[in-house]
Amino acid sequence: MLSDGAGGFEYIQGGLGETPNGGNYGSVWIDYNNDGLIDMFIAKCRGGDVPENINQLHRNNGDGTFTEVGEEVGLADNVQTWSSAWSDYDNDGDMDVFIGASSTSNGSHKMMRNDDGIFVDITAQSGILASMPTGIEHVCHDYNNDGFVDIDISGTTMLLNNGDMTFTHSNTAVSNGPVGDLNNDGYLDVVSPFGGQVYFNQSEGNNYLKINPIGVESNKNGIGARVTIESSMGAQIRDIKSGDGFGNMSMLTAHFGIGQDEIVESITINWPSGIVTTLYDVYANNTLNIVEIEGDVVSVQEMLEEKFNVYPNPTSDFLNISSDMNFNSFPIEILDLSGKIVLSTLIKDNRVKLEDISTGTYLARINANGTYHQVQFVKE
């Protein structure tokens, strides 16, 4: 069903479902071939050799139609599975996939490396064992913020990514479920959909960056966008998708662990509309709300040791300044994301009045003795 943007929908099958469709379970939308179009992988729960029980990959043709290419690219597997976990496990710029087995009746878990759109089975050398527990939920996130995406197998086994397409088994038994940073500490937590438990991540020591895409021409949540960051440790990618594993809805925020890196040199968002937004030189351990705007947005200037925060965020009439340093009477500039200064004033009583600027996403920049520091905020 395609939305017309005005509350209506149009039924367009586009070739999906015209191939055998028995046993469809976890369906994940992902751009596997880096053409900017979201494709769909369907995990098949039944297993066996009949066509309707073999995993499918539907390539987006860009004209509202899809072509099933599972056999062509190496993913037409009859392993019995409910879900797959897609991510760029080796940080080489394309999406690999872990096919999680729900039963060993037709084989077990598989790690498939993406080599220019063709998938190669590297399970044997990856450290992933056929003897691992099976399950229906397989999701992947960077749980320890080291810059490499890990895999949670149905809440029984955590596969920690070593960064070279090998994985180390951890006995951390965290119930598998929706994932998000619930306490805003930069580490991802898990909610159990069955018992109602919340598992707070106790990891520490590594930095992170969280990015909330805000669509304008595209959908508001940026679903279908690809976010790429570059820091000293290299490049990482995330696709903004609304489904996770078999039945989970995790946060839509793009979360990146960046190890000990303190600056992310660039952030690039390729939006479904075709618009590309790029931001440069961003501090670690921040959450950015980035609006869909064509071109480059203003970059961060020289670092200030005494960092500051703003609240509430989003805000309406006032922006409050929180810092260990007293910024009262310091000059502050409010810039839009094109770099234009829309307000220049002095901080009074640790706050700034915003009633004269329109709604949108801005940067607050403080000039402290010739050195600048800035944070992003949203005016409602």
Side-chain angles (χ1 to χ4, degrees), residues 300-318:
V300 175
Q301 300 188 29
E302 188 177 353
M303 183 184 297
L304 176 66
E305 291 183 0
E306 294 82 5
K307 296 180 180 180
F308 75 98
N309 293 308
V310 296
Y311 67 94
N313 190 9
T315 186
S316 53
D317 297 330
F318 289 92

Side-chain angles (χ1 to χ4, degrees), residues 144-146 187 202-208 258-261 285:
N144 56 8
N145 285 2
D146 67 349
Y187 284 90
Q202 301 300 305
S203 301
E204 58 184 16
N206 284 328
N207 296 325
Y208 69 92
I258 53 175
Q260 297 302 300
D261 290 353
N285 303 325

Side-chain angles (χ1 to χ4, degrees), residues 10 13-14 16 25 36 80 85 96 107 126 151 166 172 182 218 252-253 262 277 302 323 330 336 349 357 366 377:
E10 182 180 2
Q13 192 69 7
L16 294 174
Y25 273 58
Q80 190 164 324
D96 314 295
S126 69
I151 306 171
T166 68
T172 302
L182 300 180
S218 304
L252 294 174
T253 302
E262 297 182 350
T277 304
E302 188 177 353
S323 174
F330 274 73
D336 65 20
D349 297 327
I357 69 173
I366 294 178
F377 70 94

